[in-house]
Amino acid sequence: MNYERLEADKKDILLIDDMAVNLRVLSAILAREGYNVRKALNWQMALTACQTVLPDLILLDIMMPEVDGYEVCQRLKASQLTADIPVIFISALDDVFDKVKAFSVGGVDYITKPFESEEVLVRVQNQLALRTAQLEILKLNAELEQRVQQRTSELEKALHKLQGEVTYRKHLQSKLLDIALHDSLTGLPNRILFIRRLEKALNSAKQEPNYHFAVLFLDCDRFKVINDSLGHLVGDELLRAIARRLQACLKPVDTLARLGGDEFAILLENLTDISIAIKLAESILQQLSLSFQLSRYEVFMNASIGISWGNKDYDRPEYLLRDADTAMYRAKAQGRARYYVFDPVMYQEAIQILELENDLRRAIERQEFLVYYQPIISLSTGRISGFEALVRWQHPIRGLVSPIEFIPVAEETGLINAINTWVLRSACQQLSIWQHYPVTPEPLTISVNLSARLFLQPDLLVQIDQIIEETKVNPAYLELEITESVIMENSNAVRIILQQLKQRKMKLVMDDFGTGYSSLSYLHSFPLNALKIDKSFVKRMQENQENMGLVPAMIGIADSMGMVVIAEGVETKEQLLQLRSLNCNFAQGYFFARPLEQQSVIKLLAASPQW
Ligand code: C2E
Ligand code: MG
Ligand code: MG
């Protein structure tokens, strides 16, 4: 169907009237005014005309046979196609009733016959102008609608983008939070997150009397050795493997955290009994004792575990962790690869150690240390060949404190460096004084114990050189005693230092031999001059009369490696005889003399004893 106008700029008017004469008259008036006029004699023709081209206006006669004007109008209004076309009724009937009916069926105006042509034209113009305006409004409305739709979809797009941005930022934020609360190496919670969870557990314990929890503090034994000898990459690989193995021992609700270095912590919640925590510690120790198959090495690793039992009396979560840490240290002190359950007495002891530490700092300033000397006897001559310098602390209140008590604390705090170099200097000064006495046997050696900590000091050699220079002692008479821990903990660096000491002609003694873990073949790779057999072996020698325990084997091996043997802790004549029969080179012990003050040493030298 063609909806376009016949002539685009001309308005199209359809006349419907059964009287041809009427059609002609009206048509002439309108055509003169430039309208495009079409004519229909009945409903059928009108419908066809509308279907061909939609008129802009219809002039409709009322009185028509078959379908009258009202009916035509009603039909036009009923069809969607023609409903909007304005209809002006034209009729000879001049009756109010008909006018009302004409409007009620949808007409917009009414012209009475006979009509003035001006009136017809004015009314036609009015309706056409109205219609144009209506169409304009409709068009504007449609445009407006379209713009609103466009704007809405733009807004929707912007909103969508904004929502995407919000989601991205939320994701970023949670990622940052994740980084802040986790250890990057193992992906485990870190100390901050662990303390948070611990705090929650503590709060639960404060609210519910039946809520129990425990903290396990785990520290790897000898991890540093592996890290130093095999490198950090292997160390990292091992830490990840340890983390995985620990995780496998736990339930999903338990929290495993890496606190830093080789330290891990575990939070166990909803426990009924501490025995559950102990069982877990046992199974962890068992699992960790199995070898770790890393990409290039097979590594063995043990750990020590401290356990603290959570209860509502703790003020802060950190205290629980501290107590588990203290218990862990106790496990280490008892020989490692074991667990220890915290007991409040330990806290008291920890406090005492703290006090000792403070006192020790003051002791250095106030010079409260003394050196005692214990003679070392040559078993071939039976005479004194040297002395071992043993430090003592003259505590203002406690009296003489044993090095067994304060040396570990001094080592832990780093105070050992100052104490040990002071002992070395005093001992060398003492030796140079004794060397001027006529009673002093030639040569007389002095032995000084060096702590493992000292070997971490970069200027150790410089300090020793300086002391030798100051005191003018012959370095060949100076014996330095080290323990196995020295070479186990930082072997490569230590090997170099020991070689340089040897170049300076100083003697190197492996002290407390047999109590550490080092193998003899490993020891052999260090430039040692002598082995000092630990007193525990000398003691057992007597209990085991026939084969004298391990001492003969130790002497034999030292001999084969070209090392001199010193036996310590000789307390009886029998022990002396046994050692002599085994061709042990030197001995020291209460049987000969206890560690002595320097004045007593002079008397002893003057007496020139022989055993
Ligand atoms: P050590 O180097 O093995 O010293 C021998 C220890 O055995 C000394 O204990 C000595 O008094 C004791 N002793 C000697 N003869 C006998 C005996 O017949 N029977 C028994 N039961 N014990 C005997 P002390 O003086 O208490 O020293 C203990 C440890 O403290 C030393 O063991 C040494 O490791 C350390 N130490 C002492 N002085 C120093 C020092 O100046 N620096 C460092 N780093 N450590 C020191
Ligand atoms: Mg010693
Ligand atoms: Mg010893």
Side-chain angles (χ1 to χ4, degrees):
M1 205 182 297
N2 183 9
Y3 288 97
E4 281 174 25
R5 295 188 194 293
L6 295 173
E7 286 174 73
D9 50 340
K10 277 190 175 179
K11 294 287 182 194
D12 187 79
I13 300 174
L14 179 65
L15 306 177
I16 309 169
D17 199 320
D18 58 323
M19 304 283 277
V21 58
N22 287 346
L23 286 176
R24 219 178 306 122
V25 175
L26 260 176
S27 167
I29 296 170
L30 293 167
R32 223 183 302 131
E33 283 304 309
Y35 295 111
N36 189 44
V37 185
R38 289 182 292 147
K39 297 169 277 238
L41 288 165
N42 52 38
W43 160 245
Q44 233 1 278
M45 285 171 73
L47 183 64
T48 313
C50 284
Q51 283 169 344
T52 314
V53 173
L54 266 187
D56 293 302
L57 180 73
I58 292 172
L59 293 182
L60 178 59
D61 181 33
I62 295 176
M63 292 297 285
M64 288 189 294
E66 293 169 32
V67 186
D68 69 6
Y70 300 128
E71 180 66 27
V72 169
C73 191
Q74 266 168 339
R75 289 187 186 179
L76 287 169
K77 294 293 150 190
S79 156
Q80 210 185 348
L81 181 70
T82 50
D84 291 334
I85 304 170
V87 175
I88 300 176
F89 281 99
I90 300 185
S91 177
L93 299 168
D94 189 12
D95 179 319
V96 175
F97 172 76
D98 290 306
K99 282 186 186 172
V100 170
K101 189 166 182 189
F103 285 111
S104 75
V105 294
V108 290
D109 207 353
Y110 196 99
I111 299 170
T112 356
K113 283 192 266 192
F115 46 73
E116 290 292 324
S117 61
E118 283 81 14
E119 188 195 347
V120 172
L121 287 173
V122 167
R123 288 190 191 268
V124 164
Q125 271 164 16
N126 275 347
Q127 287 309 323
L128 283 172
L130 213 63
R131 175 71 184 145
T132 310
Q134 260 174 4
L135 287 173
E136 193 63 25
I137 287 169
L138 281 176
K139 203 175 123 205
L140 284 175
N141 268 345
E143 265 175 33
L144 201 66
E145 182 85 350
Q146 202 192 348
R147 269 199 227 162
V148 167
Q149 259 173 21
Q150 198 182 337
R151 201 81 189 97
T152 309
S153 97
E154 274 169 18
L155 279 173
E156 270 171 0
K157 269 188 217 148
L159 190 71
H160 190 72
K161 215 172 136 196
L162 208 68
Q163 277 169 342
E165 185 83 358
V166 169
T167 322
Y168 174 69
R169 270 167 201 269
K170 271 190 188 154
H171 172 74
L172 209 67
Q173 211 171 14
S174 83
K175 215 166 142 186
L176 280 175
L177 200 67
D178 203 58
I179 292 171
L181 296 179
H182 288 83
D183 163 46
S184 59
L185 181 69
T186 58
L188 293 177
N190 63 11
R191 183 184 290 266
I192 302 170
L193 185 53
F194 188 79
I195 293 286
R196 277 193 197 174
R197 300 235 173 116
L198 201 54
E199 189 163 29
K200 251 169 88 185
L202 190 57
N203 287 338
S204 304
K206 286 186 197 294
Q207 277 156 18
E208 301 163 38
N210 289 328
Y211 179 91
H212 295 295
F213 64 104
V215 174
L216 271 64
F217 194 110
L218 186 145
D219 185 284
C220 299
D221 298 333
R222 296 193 323 113
F223 177 77
K224 199 178 158 347
V225 179
I226 291 170
N227 214 31
D228 289 352
S229 55
L230 301 181
H232 289 281
L233 287 180
V234 177
D236 285 354
E237 197 186 351
L238 178 61
L239 284 173
R240 280 192 292 263
I242 293 171
R244 277 196 299 276
R245 208 172 276 186
L246 289 174
Q247 195 81 71
C249 295
L250 303 178
K251 291 203 283 288
V253 288
D254 303 332
T255 301
L256 169 66
R258 178 168 172 240
L259 303 181
D262 57 352
E263 290 176 348
F264 293 86
I266 297 166
L267 170 63
L268 302 175
E269 296 186 68
N270 286 312
L271 298 185
T272 45
D273 205 281
I274 191 139
S275 66
I276 297 169
I278 290 175
K279 272 211 191 81
L280 177 70
E282 281 167 350
S283 83
I284 286 176
L285 289 175
Q286 202 270 327
Q287 283 300 312
L288 291 184
S289 71
L290 307 173
S291 78
F292 285 90
Q293 205 68 53
L294 304 183
S295 55
R296 291 177 55 204
Y297 300 93
E298 186 184 15
V299 176
F300 285 89
M301 174 90 256
N302 276 315
S304 303
I305 301 177
I307 305 173
S308 61
W309 184 235
N311 67 60
K312 62 176 175 29
D313 298 331
Y314 275 99
D315 288 334
R316 297 175 57 101
E318 288 88 350
Y319 295 165
L320 258 151
L321 199 59
R322 174 202 64 196
D323 287 350
D325 190 8
T326 308
M328 185 278 295
Y329 267 100
R330 185 59 65 96
K332 270 207 196 297
Q334 290 202 340
R336 307 178 172 202
R338 65 191 64 210
Y339 67 85
Y340 200 94
V341 182
F342 179 80
D343 145 11
V345 174
M346 286 167 57
Y347 182 61
Q348 286 311 317
E349 286 171 2
I351 294 277
Q352 274 172 12
I353 291 177
L354 203 69
E355 279 171 6
L356 195 72
E357 193 185 308
N358 288 333
D359 288 353
L360 213 50
R361 279 179 211 284
R362 278 196 293 273
I364 295 173
E365 290 160 25
R366 296 184 193 161
Q367 307 203 337
E368 291 172 358
F369 297 104
L370 294 170
V371 184
Y372 275 37
Y373 298 92
Q374 187 177 36
I376 298 171
I377 287 70
S378 158
L379 294 187
S380 56
T381 63
R383 294 198 182 270
I384 294 172
S385 68
F387 286 90
E388 177 174 6
L390 293 160
V391 70
R392 300 287 180 266
W393 176 14
Q394 186 68 56
H395 192 281
I397 298 160
R398 298 173 57 190
L400 223 49
V401 183
S402 155
I404 297 172
E405 196 179 333
F406 71 83
I407 293 270
V409 180
E411 284 183 330
E412 194 112 305
T413 53
L415 294 169
I416 189 69
N417 294 332
I419 298 172
N420 220 151
T421 41
W422 178 83
V423 173
L424 183 62
R425 179 174 283 108
S426 306
C428 288
Q429 276 164 353
Q430 201 57 63
L431 180 65
S432 74
I433 294 170
W434 289 335
Q435 276 169 346
H436 293 104
Y437 292 151
V439 290
T440 302
E442 179 77 26
L444 186 73
T445 61
I446 190 88
S447 304
V448 179
N449 297 284
L450 294 187
S451 154
R453 269 294 294 235
L454 238 51
F455 287 83
L456 299 175
Q457 273 207 307
D459 63 344
L460 176 65
L461 280 168
V462 177
Q463 291 209 39
I464 294 178
D465 287 343
Q466 205 179 334
I467 290 171
I468 302 261
E469 168 76 26
E470 272 171 35
T471 57
K472 307 267 178 305
V473 297
N474 182 345
Y477 296 164
L478 180 58
E479 302 196 339
L480 300 173
E481 298 192 4
I482 57 168
T483 52
E484 283 165 87
S485 62
V486 174
I487 56 175
M488 293 305 288
E489 274 163 31
N490 29 37
S491 51
N492 283 332
V494 167
R495 198 190 307 274
I496 295 166
I497 299 174
L498 293 183
Q499 266 151 7
Q500 287 179 307
L501 291 172
K502 189 160 190 177
Q503 273 170 19
R504 288 161 169 76
K505 304 273 183 308
M506 289 170 218
K507 302 286 182 301
L508 301 170
V509 181
M510 174 55 55
D511 200 356
D512 302 340
F513 179 67
T515 56
Y517 304 95
S518 52
S519 69
L520 278 169
S521 58
Y522 184 58
L523 281 188
H524 195 42
S525 68
F526 290 88
L528 298 168
N529 301 86
L531 290 186
K532 197 181 255 198
I533 298 175
D534 189 67
K535 46 185 170 292
S536 57
F537 295 96
V538 174
K539 195 178 172 120
R540 261 175 271 156
M541 199 168 57
Q542 218 173 341
E543 298 160 4
N544 211 335
Q545 287 282 0
E546 319 80 71
N547 59 11
M548 293 183 275
L550 289 173
V551 177
M554 286 175 168
I555 293 176
I557 291 164
D559 199 38
S560 72
M561 294 202 292
M563 290 192 221
V564 163
V565 181
I566 307 154
E568 91 184 346
V570 178
E571 292 184 356
T572 65
K573 191 162 172 91
E574 289 72 36
Q575 286 168 338
L576 173 60
L577 290 173
Q578 285 175 314
L579 289 166
R580 266 216 168 101
S581 73
L582 292 169
N583 288 328
C584 179
N585 309 100
F586 297 92
Q588 94 190 74
Y590 296 165
F591 177 69
F592 309 105
R594 289 187 171 256
L596 306 166
E597 282 181 273
Q598 154 272 100
Q599 297 92 316
S600 313
V601 171
I602 316 265
K603 284 186 205 144
L604 185 70
L605 286 174
S608 184
Q610 188 173 22
W611 287 276

